[in-house]
Amino acid sequence: MTVRLWDVATGQQVGEPLWGHTDLVLSVSFSPDGTRIVTGSWDKTVRLWDVATGQQVGEPFSAPFVLNVGSGWVSGPKRRLLFWVPPASQRPFYSPGTALVIPRCCELDLSRMTHGQHWQKCRAR
């Protein structure tokens, strides 16, 4: 599968297609500075692209992350708990299995996030 960039004013394709995904591409987003593109696919990978070169940056990200709506915990590989999403943020928060990106409508404030070896203490605060 490919991702193609188009010039909105001219309707012409810009550069070469971005090759790499092996299934439908579901999500595409530009970095705020316009230098990178991130794509998410049903092939369960997220890929980062350099806009100027059209080349993939690094290896595809493919860890299976899941938001447990009942508890608010996001788990990763081997069901390892990664972080907790407060109830008010759970509705607009998408699982990478459906959208692969957090929409612009919400922002996660991680300024008080507990991580590292003491992550289990976050509920005690």
Side-chain angles (χ1 to χ4, degrees):
M1 299 291 153
T2 64
V3 174
R4 297 173 189 262
L5 302 178
W6 302 90
D7 184 307
V8 176
T10 66
Q12 298 295 311
Q13 183 174 318
V14 176
E16 295 297 316
L18 307 178
W19 294 89
H21 286 292
T22 59
D23 208 334
L24 296 175
V25 175
L26 303 172
S27 300
V28 177
S29 185
F30 280 88
S31 64
D33 64 5
T35 62
R36 299 277 195 254
I37 298 172
V38 65
T39 58
S41 168
W42 270 357
D43 65 10
K44 299 180 182 168
T45 66
V46 174
R47 296 171 188 263
L48 184 65
W49 308 89
D50 183 288
V51 171
T53 66
Q55 297 297 309
Q56 184 174 304
V57 177
E59 292 298 313
F61 178 74
S62 62
F65 292 91
V66 176
L67 170 65
N68 182 318
V69 179
S71 70
W73 281 96
V74 173
S75 60
K78 300 180 183 174
R79 298 184 182 171
R80 180 175 166 220
L81 297 179
L82 300 174
F83 59 92
W84 181 74
V85 179
S89 300
Q90 288 176 22
R91 183 175 167 93
F93 188 90
Y94 290 97
S95 161
T98 57
L100 297 167
V101 294
I102 298 174
R104 291 180 184 252
C105 69
C106 68
E107 186 173 299
L108 296 178
D109 178 4
L110 301 177
S111 62
R112 298 185 319 163
M113 182 177 120
T114 302
H115 55 89
Q117 295 178 355
H118 303 290
W119 65 267
Q120 69 272 31
K121 295 180 182 177
C122 68
R123 284 199 183 245
R125 291 185 180 181

